[in-house]
Amino acid sequence: MSDKQDWLAAARAAMEIEAAALETAAARLDGSLIRAVELILGSTKVVVTGIGKSGHIARKIVATLCSMGTAAVFLHPAEAVHGDLGIYTPGDPTVLFSKNGSSRELLALVPLLRDFRSPLIGILGNASSPLASQVDVLLDASVEREADPHNLAPTASAVAALGIGHALAIALMCARDFTPEEFGRFHPGGQLGRNLRIPVREAMHAGEEAARVPPEAPLRDVILAMTARPLGGACVVQEDGTLAGFLTDGDLRRALTNHDDIRGLRARDVMTARPVTIGPEASLAEALERMERRKSQISALPVVDGAGRALGILRLHDIFGGSR
């Protein structure tokens, strides 16, 4: 049995080989990808097919295309001749995935697809294969070698094919000007869809639900307000309702750490004067990004209107569907 460190070295080498295969495939993309996009844009749907491991890649790309606004269906090449060709409307393009480009099932399918006037887009691992000579658009997914030590298992080739499929889907997404709002409509049941569909105002803690203190409030009053409304923060609010700052549990701990006597401290002495804020009409996805795309992540945001008036607090827990 080889040394355990050899296992780790093989795993790292595999990922490096796959990464290099992706980089090479990206560099090969050219006008053929644009032609493939144009063919799909002009249709009502695209049919995607493949067999074996390539079939699994094809199914994944169908799911990705559908989620990004391109109607797509998977066609099993062996089932096609037993009635499944009925999914075609004349002119529907077909994307064919194949590592070697010599699959008998796919080659037998080509003349049948021509009867449906289907433009053929090949994502193929062999640009000199029989199938490559018969497609209308060729996207080269060939790799120098597979990632396993014996150069056998379809690993790097599968990653390259998947990467080109993703590239095609994303190019179509750009061509359609596909928006985050549309993405959310196609994902109504998941967390991602929820974050894209629901505005902050529907998940935030507003008005009296959130702790609010004036800038001159003693630190003791701040602690009592945050204890009564335990949302992880308090809005420090001017008399006119504008947000002066935000004070979190972490700010309180730092105040206790840095001061031997906190009796003279006021909210303005401890608060963050220019906190990260969010508007009520922003999506939960935007709020999550503001919380996490920072060197130091935060778990609560003050919500303000266009005039800077404090409206409430949104917590990370609220974004992930916690009860209010």
Side-chain angles (χ1 to χ4, degrees), residues 9 14 20 32-33 54 92 97 109 131 134-135 138 140 194 242 251 259 266-267 315 319:
S32 294
L33 182 82
S54 295
D92 286 344
F97 280 88
L109 197 57
L131 192 56
Q134 298 192 53
V135 298
L138 173 63
D140 188 352
R194 178 180 187 272
T242 58
D251 293 322
H259 296 84
R266 308 290 176 179
R315 303 170 302 164
I319 293 176

Side-chain angles (χ1 to χ4, degrees), residues 216-220 255-256 259 261-270:
E216 299 303 319
L219 204 57
R220 180 179 183 277
L256 290 170
H259 296 84
D261 187 353
I262 64 169
R263 288 174 295 179
L265 293 178
R266 308 290 176 179
R268 57 176 166 76
D269 301 321
V270 181

Side-chain angles (χ1 to χ4, degrees), residues 12-28 142-145 147 156-157 159-160:
R12 286 176 175 157
M15 294 190 70
E16 289 167 358
I17 290 169
E18 291 183 349
L22 271 179
E23 187 174 356
T24 300
R28 280 197 302 254
S142 61
V143 297
E144 183 177 341
R145 60 160 293 127
S157 58
V159 167

Side-chain angles (χ1 to χ4, degrees), residues 38-314:
E38 291 172 339
L39 286 172
I40 296 172
L41 281 177
S43 66
T44 57
K45 68 177 179 296
V46 57
V47 179
V48 187
T49 188
I51 198 162
K53 303 298 188 297
S54 295
H56 295 304
I57 299 295
R59 290 180 186 274
K60 165 59 173 71
I61 295 304
V62 165
T64 299
L65 287 167
C66 289
S67 74
M68 292 181 174
T70 296
V73 292
F74 175 75
L75 174 67
H76 193 292
E79 297 293 339
V81 296
H82 296 283
D84 284 4
L85 286 172
I87 64 174
Y88 274 95
T89 299
D92 286 344
T94 303
V95 178
L96 303 100
F97 280 88
S98 178
K99 176 189 174 184
N100 296 316
S102 58
S103 165
R104 289 175 298 179
E105 294 87 350
L106 292 180
L107 288 169
L109 197 57
V110 169
L112 304 177
L113 298 182
R114 293 301 185 194
D115 288 341
F116 286 93
R117 303 194 303 277
S118 175
L120 305 182
I121 301 164
I123 299 180
L124 309 177
N126 185 349
S128 302
S129 64
L131 192 56
S133 66
Q134 298 192 53
V135 298
D136 301 297
V137 177
L138 173 63
L139 300 176
D140 188 352
S142 61
V143 297
E144 183 177 341
R145 60 160 293 127
E146 299 293 0
D148 70 280
H150 303 297
N151 192 28
L152 295 174
T155 46
S157 58
V159 167
L162 183 64
I164 293 173
H166 285 162
L168 178 60
I170 291 168
L172 283 160
M173 182 182 183
C174 294
R176 296 185 190 279
D177 294 323
F178 191 70
T179 65
E181 290 74 22
E182 290 175 297
F183 192 90
R185 284 204 300 272
F186 293 142
H187 296 75
Q191 183 66 49
L192 179 57
R194 178 180 187 272
N195 289 355
L196 288 167
R197 288 183 298 107
I198 295 180
V200 166
R201 58 179 165 75
E202 293 187 16
M204 63 182 276
H205 298 263
E208 294 301 316
E209 294 180 3
R212 296 165 62 98
V213 296
E216 299 303 319
L219 204 57
R220 180 179 183 277
D221 292 353
V222 175
I223 294 172
L224 291 174
M226 292 174 64
T227 301
R229 297 168 179 80
L231 300 178
C235 295
V236 183
V237 183
Q238 305 278 15
E239 286 187 11
D240 63 359
T242 58
L243 185 74
F246 194 59
L247 210 155
T248 68
D249 293 336
D251 293 322
L252 293 178
R253 288 194 296 272
R254 282 186 288 275
L256 290 170
T257 300
N258 296 332
H259 296 84
D260 293 330
D261 187 353
I262 64 169
R263 288 174 295 179
L265 293 178
R266 308 290 176 179
R268 57 176 166 76
D269 301 321
V270 181
M271 70 182 189
T272 299
R274 293 183 178 83
V276 178
T277 62
I278 194 73
E281 300 307 319
S283 68
L284 294 184
E286 183 179 349
L288 180 62
E289 183 174 10
R290 294 196 186 186
M291 288 181 179
E292 295 190 335
R293 295 294 176 88
R294 297 166 44 85
K295 290 183 178 179
S296 57
Q297 295 182 355
I298 53 180
S299 59
L301 284 177
V303 183
V304 299
D305 64 15
R309 290 186 291 267
L311 302 179
I313 295 173
L314 178 75

